[in-house]
Amino acid sequence: MPIELKMPALSPTMEEGTLAKWLVKEGDAVKAGDLLAEIETDKATMEFEAVDEGTIGTLLVAEGTDGVKVGTVIATILEEGEEAGSAPAAKSAPAPAPEKKAEAAQPAAAPATPAAPPAPAAPAAPAAPAPRAADGDRVKASPLARRLAEAKGIDLASLSGSGPNGRIVKADVDGASGAPARPAAAAAPASAPAAAPAPAAPVTSDIPHEAVKLSNMRKTIARRLTESKQQVPHIYLTVDIRLDALLKLRSELNAALAGRDLKLSVNDLLIKALAVALVRVPECNVSYTGDQLLKYHRADISVAVSIPNGLITPIITGADAKSVSAVAAEMKELAQRAKDGKLQPHEYQGGTASLSNMGMFGIKQFDAVINPPQAMIMAIGAGETRPYVIDGALGIATVMSATGSFDHRAIDGADGARLMKTFKELVENPLGLVA
């Protein structure tokens, strides 16, 4: 029997994707670990690898196809001795929307012979990969996944496979090896979801314009931000923070790092400050799940990075325990890979709180939208020279405004205020960040 290749779930939230590009053609010989296609998810464009050896039989989904449901058969691999004729018929290909075709066909003349009654709609493809299967006690996994798991000390029996018939593939091992030990953080909140908003009415305009198709990432951003503003009661707290001491420390640290290919930014120091503040005020390092509160024992900071298709938030895991130089080096690498679309799901999904800095654009102050299931996000404005009271006298100082957005279901106003106060003290007395 030909091996069916199904649209994989490349992230826990993925329900459908775009088959952006085929990297093979029918008749090509492939082996486990070979790249087959590029798939655009709701967060990034990722590569899909083969999990078995054989010959590409039929490509059932054309490249560029949008909305391919997870679990849909997109291609087949023929094993040794099989011929293309033995491949399953194109029934595995995603069926076009029957409602729209039926509507379009109504004005057409009736066929000469009576039409057969319409077949019932095919059941929706599963939103998650099939459960991992086993032959006796043997776990099904690709050879590449087995080698990676052995090298990283991962028990394959603890993983769920996203490959054909639940087979464990490289992406499953990569996700397990880097996933922080807080599985609930990446899951959706347990509270009952609100009804999906009605689609926007079609817009017609005589004004010259260009219609740009939304990427999966942009659609996801729109949906999640709408849900956040509708379901999460935001409370906003703003403080003005004097930056002079932090700027002086940054200059001294960069002078000490002159021999390395590394330069600390103000943002690197602010990431560290937020992480330390969250550990000192643990009441704000939480997630709300409807019937319980998750209290985290470390601070994983999601940092907003602008990329061509939208916004992504790579995570500095355990930022409270890392040196400022380690935070800077990791942030530099993650930001570059984010812009290249090369982040793995565990590198941008999760996090205990977020930081968004728009100071480089000259924005003085703004209110950021919380990224559930996180319960807070820190919005950083531009540092600017302002009149400022110093030791009881009016002087001049470099000052920035920082605004914390808090989920009021999980964080009381007084606790949010303590976090903002702690963050301000750490930034204004930054030696505590490098001690």
Side-chain angles (χ1 to χ4, degrees):
M1 282 290 291
I3 300 168
E4 294 182 339
L5 296 181
K6 298 181 180 181
M7 173 63 82
L10 297 176
S11 74
T13 60
M14 180 177 169
E15 296 180 355
E16 61 182 34
T18 297
L19 206 160
K21 182 181 180 181
W22 280 111
L23 303 177
V24 294
K25 60 183 182 296
E26 294 180 0
D28 283 355
V30 296
K31 59 181 183 297
D34 285 352
L35 299 181
L36 301 180
E38 293 179 356
I39 294 174
E40 181 186 335
T41 71
D42 54 352
K43 291 291 186 181
T45 299
M46 304 183 69
E47 295 168 332
F48 177 41
E49 67 169 22
V51 296
D52 285 289
E53 296 183 0
T55 302
I56 299 296
T58 307
L59 302 181
L60 298 170
V61 176
E63 63 180 39
T65 302
D66 292 328
V68 183
K69 297 292 185 182
V70 169
T72 299
V73 179
I74 59 176
T76 60
I77 291 182
L78 306 177
E79 296 185 296
E80 186 176 355
E82 291 181 331
E83 298 181 359
S86 63
K91 62 182 179 63
S92 297
E99 297 84 355
K100 293 184 180 177
K101 287 204 169 184
E103 291 172 5
Q106 280 179 354
T113 57
R132 175 176 48 81
D135 297 327
D137 292 330
R138 185 175 182 272
V139 178
K140 285 190 175 181
S142 70
L144 178 59
R146 288 185 182 280
R147 290 196 300 271
L148 286 174
E150 183 178 357
K152 297 179 179 181
I154 296 173
D155 181 8
L156 287 173
S158 66
L159 305 182
S160 294
S162 59
N165 300 318
R167 185 186 297 271
I168 297 170
V169 296
K170 176 178 179 291
D172 302 321
V173 179
D174 287 341
S177 63
R182 41 178 172 75
S191 54
V203 176
T204 58
S205 175
D206 295 332
I207 303 172
H209 66 279
E210 176 188 2
V212 179
K213 179 182 175 182
L214 291 180
S215 66
N216 289 348
M217 176 180 287
R218 178 54 61 188
K219 291 176 185 176
T220 300
I221 290 172
R223 174 177 57 81
R224 287 182 59 81
L225 293 185
T226 299
E227 290 173 354
S228 179
K229 291 295 284 186
Q230 288 178 340
Q231 300 174 21
V232 177
H234 287 56
I235 179 174
Y236 305 102
L237 304 173
T238 302
V239 292
D240 288 336
I241 303 175
R242 186 178 174 189
L243 287 178
D244 298 280
L246 183 135
L247 294 175
K248 182 175 183 293
L249 176 63
R250 171 179 173 261
S251 178
E252 292 171 350
L253 290 174
N254 278 331
L257 295 170
R260 298 170 54 183
D261 183 23
L262 182 65
K263 188 174 183 180
L264 303 182
S265 68
V266 170
N267 205 52
D268 298 327
L269 290 160
L270 296 179
I271 293 169
K272 173 73 173 182
L274 176 58
V276 173
L278 285 166
V279 171
R280 293 186 183 180
V281 187
E283 293 82 3
C284 295
N285 197 29
V286 297
S287 285
Y288 175 82
T289 65
D291 59 352
Q292 60 182 345
L293 205 60
L294 303 181
K295 296 185 175 181
Y296 300 115
H297 298 154
R298 73 179 186 212
D300 293 356
I301 307 300
S302 302
V303 184
V305 173
S306 178
I307 59 177
N309 291 328
L311 186 76
I312 196 166
T313 52
I315 301 168
I316 305 295
T317 304
D320 56 293
K322 291 178 178 174
S323 67
V324 175
S325 60
V327 169
E330 190 171 339
M331 192 65 236
K332 178 182 177 181
E333 180 193 0
L334 288 172
Q336 185 57 55
R337 289 201 288 118
K339 292 174 182 177
D340 294 339
K342 300 298 184 183
L343 288 180
Q344 295 296 315
H346 69 271
E347 294 176 312
Y348 58 78
Q349 291 178 346
T352 67
S354 294
L355 184 141
S356 179
N357 189 342
M358 297 182 72
M360 67 287 293
F361 300 111
I363 302 300
K364 183 175 180 178
Q365 187 269 333
F366 68 103
D367 301 333
V369 181
I370 295 169
N371 181 28
Q374 295 177 7
M376 76 85 54
I377 181 171
M378 185 74 76
I380 303 296
E384 58 183 6
T385 304
R386 304 184 198 171
Y388 198 78
V389 176
I390 304 171
D391 297 329
L394 185 62
I396 299 295
T398 303
V399 180
M400 76 173 187
S401 295
T403 300
S405 303
F406 298 90
D407 182 345
H408 218 338
R409 300 171 302 178
I411 300 174
D412 293 332
D415 291 328
R418 287 199 298 120
L419 179 79
M420 299 305 294
K421 180 175 182 289
T422 302
F423 180 73
K424 174 183 171 79
E425 291 171 348
L426 286 166
V427 175
E428 292 188 340
N429 301 279
L431 285 177
L433 302 177
V434 296

